[in-house]
Amino acid sequence: GEQVEQRPPHLSVREGDSAIIICTYTDSATAYFSWYKQEAGAGLQLLMSVLSNVDRKEEQGLTVLLNKKDKRLSLNLTAAHPGDSAVYFCAVRATSSGQKLVFGQGTILKVYL
Amino acid sequence: GGIITQTPKFLIGQEGQKLTLKCQQNFNHDTMYWYRQDSGKGLRLIYYSITENDLQKGDLSEGYDASREKKSSFSLTVTSAQKNEMAVFLCASTDRGAETLYFGSGTRLTVL
Protein backbone atom coordinates (compact mmCIF):
# COMPACT_ATOMS: atom_id res chain seq x y z
CA GLY A 1 0.00 0.00 0.00
CA GLU A 2 0.86 3.68 -0.06
CA GLN A 3 3.84 4.71 2.08
CA VAL A 4 4.48 8.34 3.01
CA GLU A 5 7.67 9.75 4.50
CA GLN A 6 7.69 13.28 5.90
CA ARG A 7 10.78 15.36 6.67
CA PRO A 8 12.00 17.00 8.81
CA PRO A 9 10.43 15.82 12.07
CA HIS A 10 11.40 19.09 13.74
CA LEU A 11 11.96 22.51 12.19
CA SER A 12 12.91 25.75 13.89
CA VAL A 13 12.99 29.02 11.92
CA ARG A 14 13.26 32.71 12.71
CA GLU A 15 10.25 34.94 12.17
CA GLY A 16 10.20 36.14 8.57
CA ASP A 17 12.18 33.19 7.23
CA SER A 18 10.67 30.45 5.11
CA ALA A 19 9.95 26.94 6.33
CA ILE A 20 9.84 23.98 3.95
CA ILE A 21 8.36 20.57 4.73
CA ILE A 22 8.60 17.68 2.30
CA CYS A 23 6.70 14.43 1.86
CA THR A 24 7.55 11.60 -0.47
CA TYR A 25 5.07 8.94 -1.44
CA THR A 26 5.27 5.60 -3.23
CA ASP A 27 2.05 5.05 -5.20
CA SER A 28 2.20 6.69 -8.63
CA ALA A 29 -1.63 6.51 -8.78
CA THR A 30 -1.93 8.98 -5.89
CA ALA A 31 -4.58 11.51 -6.89
CA TYR A 32 -5.15 13.81 -3.94
CA PHE A 33 -2.60 15.66 -1.81
CA SER A 34 -3.21 17.76 1.25
CA TRP A 35 -1.57 19.54 4.17
CA TYR A 36 -3.07 19.78 7.65
CA LYS A 37 -2.07 21.94 10.62
CA GLN A 38 -2.48 20.87 14.24
CA GLU A 39 -2.23 23.52 16.92
CA ALA A 40 -1.53 22.56 20.52
CA GLY A 41 -4.37 20.62 22.12
CA ALA A 42 -6.48 20.72 18.98
CA GLY A 43 -7.43 18.50 16.08
CA LEU A 44 -6.10 18.86 12.57
CA GLN A 45 -7.32 21.56 10.19
CA LEU A 46 -6.96 21.47 6.43
CA LEU A 47 -4.52 24.08 5.10
CA MET A 48 -4.44 23.34 1.40
CA SER A 49 -5.13 20.52 -0.99
CA VAL A 50 -4.32 19.81 -4.63
CA LEU A 51 -5.26 17.19 -7.14
CA SER A 52 -2.70 15.37 -9.25
CA ASN A 53 -3.20 17.70 -12.24
CA VAL A 54 -1.84 20.69 -10.27
CA ASP A 55 1.90 21.32 -9.89
CA ARG A 56 1.78 24.47 -7.81
CA LYS A 57 -0.74 26.26 -5.64
CA GLU A 58 -0.26 29.43 -3.62
CA GLU A 59 -2.57 30.78 -0.98
CA GLN A 60 -2.03 33.32 1.81
CA GLY A 61 1.69 32.86 2.31
CA LEU A 62 1.63 29.10 1.66
CA THR A 63 2.94 27.35 -1.44
CA VAL A 64 2.30 23.70 -2.23
CA LEU A 65 4.47 22.09 -4.90
CA LEU A 66 3.82 18.68 -6.41
CA ASN A 67 6.55 16.84 -8.30
CA LYS A 68 4.90 13.70 -9.68
CA LYS A 69 8.07 12.46 -11.34
CA ASP A 70 9.90 12.34 -8.00
CA LYS A 71 6.70 11.58 -6.03
CA ARG A 72 7.38 14.55 -3.80
CA LEU A 73 5.01 17.03 -2.21
CA SER A 74 6.23 20.13 -0.39
CA LEU A 75 4.76 22.88 1.73
CA ASN A 76 6.55 26.21 1.89
CA LEU A 77 5.56 28.76 4.51
CA THR A 78 7.00 32.03 3.23
CA ALA A 79 7.73 34.65 5.91
CA ALA A 80 6.76 32.44 8.85
CA HIS A 81 5.42 34.08 12.00
CA PRO A 82 5.02 32.75 15.57
CA GLY A 83 1.36 31.90 14.90
CA ASP A 84 2.55 29.31 12.40
CA SER A 85 4.12 27.26 15.21
CA ALA A 86 2.26 23.95 15.12
CA VAL A 87 2.52 20.37 13.87
CA TYR A 88 2.06 19.95 10.12
CA PHE A 89 0.99 16.75 8.37
CA CYS A 90 0.83 15.81 4.74
CA ALA A 91 -1.96 13.43 3.76
CA VAL A 92 -2.40 11.70 0.42
CA ARG A 93 -4.99 9.47 -1.15
CA ALA A 94 -4.25 6.98 -3.91
CA THR A 95 -7.08 5.95 -6.19
CA SER A 96 -6.44 2.41 -5.03
CA SER A 97 -7.05 3.21 -1.36
CA GLY A 98 -10.74 4.09 -1.50
CA GLN A 99 -11.70 6.57 1.17
CA LYS A 100 -8.53 6.23 3.23
CA LEU A 101 -6.00 9.02 3.60
CA VAL A 102 -2.40 8.11 4.43
CA PHE A 103 -0.70 10.62 6.70
CA GLY A 104 2.93 11.57 7.03
CA GLN A 105 4.66 11.38 10.41
CA GLY A 106 4.30 15.09 11.13
CA THR A 107 6.68 18.05 11.42
CA ILE A 108 6.85 20.12 14.59
CA LEU A 109 7.47 23.70 13.46
CA LYS A 110 8.64 26.38 15.87
CA VAL A 111 8.91 30.00 14.73
CA TYR A 112 10.94 32.18 17.07
CA LEU A 113 11.36 35.94 17.30
CA GLY B 1 -20.63 25.41 10.51
CA GLY B 2 -20.41 22.33 12.63
CA ILE B 3 -18.37 20.80 15.36
CA ILE B 4 -16.94 17.45 16.38
CA THR B 5 -17.00 16.76 20.10
CA GLN B 6 -14.85 14.06 21.64
CA THR B 7 -15.33 12.84 25.19
CA PRO B 8 -13.57 12.53 27.46
CA LYS B 9 -10.64 14.88 26.72
CA PHE B 10 -8.39 12.92 29.08
CA LEU B 11 -8.75 9.25 29.94
CA ILE B 12 -6.66 7.38 32.49
CA GLY B 13 -7.05 3.63 32.67
CA GLN B 14 -5.55 0.56 34.24
CA GLU B 15 -3.83 -2.25 32.40
CA GLY B 16 -6.38 -4.73 31.05
CA GLN B 17 -9.28 -2.33 31.42
CA LYS B 18 -11.90 -1.86 28.71
CA LEU B 19 -12.16 1.82 27.81
CA THR B 20 -14.66 3.64 25.59
CA LEU B 21 -14.12 6.89 23.73
CA LYS B 22 -17.03 8.82 22.23
CA CYS B 23 -17.36 11.16 19.26
CA GLN B 24 -20.33 13.28 18.16
CA GLN B 25 -20.60 15.43 15.00
CA ASN B 26 -23.32 17.85 13.93
CA PHE B 27 -22.13 18.32 10.34
CA ASN B 28 -24.54 15.59 9.20
CA HIS B 29 -21.53 13.90 7.58
CA ASP B 30 -21.80 10.35 6.30
CA THR B 31 -18.29 9.10 7.01
CA MET B 32 -16.56 9.07 10.38
CA TYR B 33 -13.06 7.95 11.34
CA TRP B 34 -10.99 7.04 14.36
CA TYR B 35 -7.25 7.71 14.18
CA ARG B 36 -4.51 7.04 16.69
CA GLN B 37 -1.76 9.66 16.93
CA ASP B 38 1.61 8.65 18.36
CA SER B 39 4.56 10.99 18.51
CA GLY B 40 6.74 10.56 15.41
CA LYS B 41 4.33 8.17 13.72
CA GLY B 42 1.67 10.39 12.27
CA LEU B 43 -1.95 9.33 12.26
CA ARG B 44 -2.92 5.71 11.82
CA LEU B 45 -6.44 4.67 10.92
CA ILE B 46 -8.15 2.37 13.41
CA TYR B 47 -11.74 2.16 12.12
CA TYR B 48 -14.01 4.10 9.83
CA SER B 49 -17.68 4.04 8.99
CA ILE B 50 -19.35 5.24 5.80
CA THR B 51 -22.88 5.25 7.18
CA GLU B 52 -24.93 4.33 10.23
CA ASN B 53 -24.25 0.74 11.38
CA ASP B 54 -21.36 0.35 8.93
CA LEU B 55 -17.85 -0.50 10.18
CA GLN B 56 -14.62 -0.82 8.21
CA LYS B 57 -11.28 -1.86 9.66
CA GLY B 58 -8.28 0.39 9.23
CA ASP B 59 -4.62 -0.50 9.52
CA LEU B 60 -4.59 -0.63 13.32
CA SER B 61 -7.90 -2.27 14.26
CA GLU B 62 -6.51 -5.10 16.41
CA GLY B 63 -7.25 -4.43 20.06
CA TYR B 64 -10.14 -2.08 19.26
CA ASP B 65 -13.87 -2.26 18.61
CA ALA B 66 -16.05 0.46 17.17
CA SER B 67 -19.74 1.22 16.99
CA ARG B 68 -21.81 3.57 14.79
CA GLU B 69 -25.34 3.33 16.18
CA LYS B 70 -26.43 6.58 14.61
CA LYS B 71 -25.19 8.93 11.94
CA SER B 72 -23.98 11.57 14.36
CA SER B 73 -21.99 9.36 16.72
CA PHE B 74 -19.07 6.97 16.48
CA SER B 75 -17.55 5.30 19.53
CA LEU B 76 -14.26 3.45 19.93
CA THR B 77 -13.50 0.81 22.56
CA VAL B 78 -10.02 -0.19 23.65
CA THR B 79 -10.72 -3.82 24.48
CA SER B 80 -7.77 -4.32 26.88
CA ALA B 81 -5.61 -1.32 27.68
CA GLN B 82 -1.86 -1.95 27.48
CA LYS B 83 0.39 -0.82 30.35
CA ASN B 84 2.33 2.40 29.67
CA GLU B 85 0.25 3.06 26.58
CA MET B 86 0.01 6.74 25.78
CA ALA B 87 -1.59 8.13 22.66
CA VAL B 88 -4.05 10.67 21.38
CA PHE B 89 -7.17 9.35 19.65
CA LEU B 90 -8.66 11.63 17.02
CA CYS B 91 -12.14 11.40 15.56
CA ALA B 92 -12.87 12.91 12.16
CA SER B 93 -15.75 13.15 9.72
CA THR B 94 -16.27 13.97 6.07
CA ASP B 95 -19.22 14.35 3.75
CA ARG B 96 -19.91 11.80 1.03
CA GLY B 97 -17.70 12.49 -1.98
CA ALA B 98 -15.80 15.24 -0.20
CA GLU B 99 -12.10 15.21 0.56
CA THR B 100 -11.74 17.46 3.59
CA LEU B 101 -11.65 15.79 6.99
CA TYR B 102 -12.92 17.69 10.02
CA PHE B 103 -11.28 16.66 13.28
CA GLY B 104 -12.20 16.72 16.92
CA SER B 105 -9.64 17.91 19.45
CA GLY B 106 -8.81 14.41 20.62
CA THR B 107 -8.88 12.13 23.66
CA ARG B 108 -5.52 11.70 25.38
CA LEU B 109 -5.18 8.20 26.80
CA THR B 110 -2.78 7.21 29.58
CA VAL B 111 -2.61 3.65 30.89
CA LEU B 112 -1.01 3.12 34.28
Side-chain angles (χ1 to χ4, degrees):
Chain A
E2 177 82 275
Q3 304 285 323
V4 177
E5 292 290 324
Q6 183 173 340
R7 292 286 182 268
H10 296 88
L11 182 57
S12 188
V13 301
R14 187 184 297 274
E15 183 179 25
D17 287 350
S18 66
I20 299 175
I21 304 169
I22 293 173
C23 284
T24 56
Y25 58 95
T26 55
D27 190 337
S28 57
T30 302
Y32 172 79
F33 306 84
S34 56
W35 287 97
Y36 281 81
K37 176 183 182 182
Q38 184 182 33
E39 296 183 346
L44 282 69
Q45 273 195 301
L46 179 70
L47 279 178
M48 285 176 72
S49 63
V50 297
L51 299 179
S52 57
N53 60 348
V54 172
D55 294 332
R56 181 188 181 98
K57 184 174 180 180
E58 291 185 49
E59 230 170 62
Q60 296 180 324
L62 302 173
T63 302
V64 170
L65 295 176
L66 177 60
N67 181 326
K68 290 186 287 292
K69 175 175 168 290
D70 294 340
K71 298 195 189 74
R72 187 172 67 241
L73 174 73
S74 66
L75 174 69
N76 185 352
L77 291 81
T78 52
H81 56 85
D84 292 327
S85 298
V87 185
Y88 292 80
F89 294 91
C90 63
V92 306
R93 189 196 314 279
T95 50
S96 58
S97 67
Q99 297 211 37
K100 292 187 282 183
L101 279 179
V102 179
F103 284 82
Q105 293 79 14
T107 295
I108 300 172
L109 172 65
K110 287 194 169 63
V111 183
Y112 58 92
L113 297 171
Chain B
I3 191 167
I4 295 186
T5 303
Q6 289 188 238
T7 54
K9 285 193 184 305
F10 299 93
L11 182 55
I12 299 176
Q14 302 290 328
E15 184 181 16
Q17 194 175 359
K18 187 173 171 179
L19 302 166
T20 298
L21 292 69
K22 294 188 184 295
C23 177
Q24 296 267 349
Q25 54 100 357
N26 63 1
F27 289 101
N28 200 34
H29 284 167
D30 292 298
T31 307
M32 296 185 74
Y33 305 82
W34 276 106
Y35 286 93
R36 176 179 164 129
Q37 182 179 11
D38 293 275
S39 178
K41 292 186 181 176
L43 274 65
R44 292 180 288 173
L45 182 64
I46 305 172
Y47 269 98
Y48 67 105
S49 165
I50 61 173
T51 189
E52 185 177 327
N53 294 319
D54 174 73
L55 286 177
Q56 311 276 345
K57 290 184 178 181
D59 301 317
L60 205 66
S61 60
E62 187 155 339
Y64 302 95
D65 286 327
S67 176
R68 182 99 183 267
E69 302 98 346
K70 48 185 183 175
K71 188 175 183 179
S72 61
S73 68
F74 193 28
S75 61
L76 180 73
T77 298
V78 180
T79 55
S80 178
Q82 300 298 304
K83 190 172 175 62
N84 297 323
E85 182 172 7
M86 280 183 64
V88 176
F89 292 84
L90 292 169
C91 176
S93 71
T94 189
D95 210 354
R96 189 188 299 268
E99 296 283 8
T100 303
L101 264 64
Y102 294 85
F103 283 84
S105 56
T107 293
R108 188 174 296 274
L109 172 66
T110 302
V111 181
L112 303 176

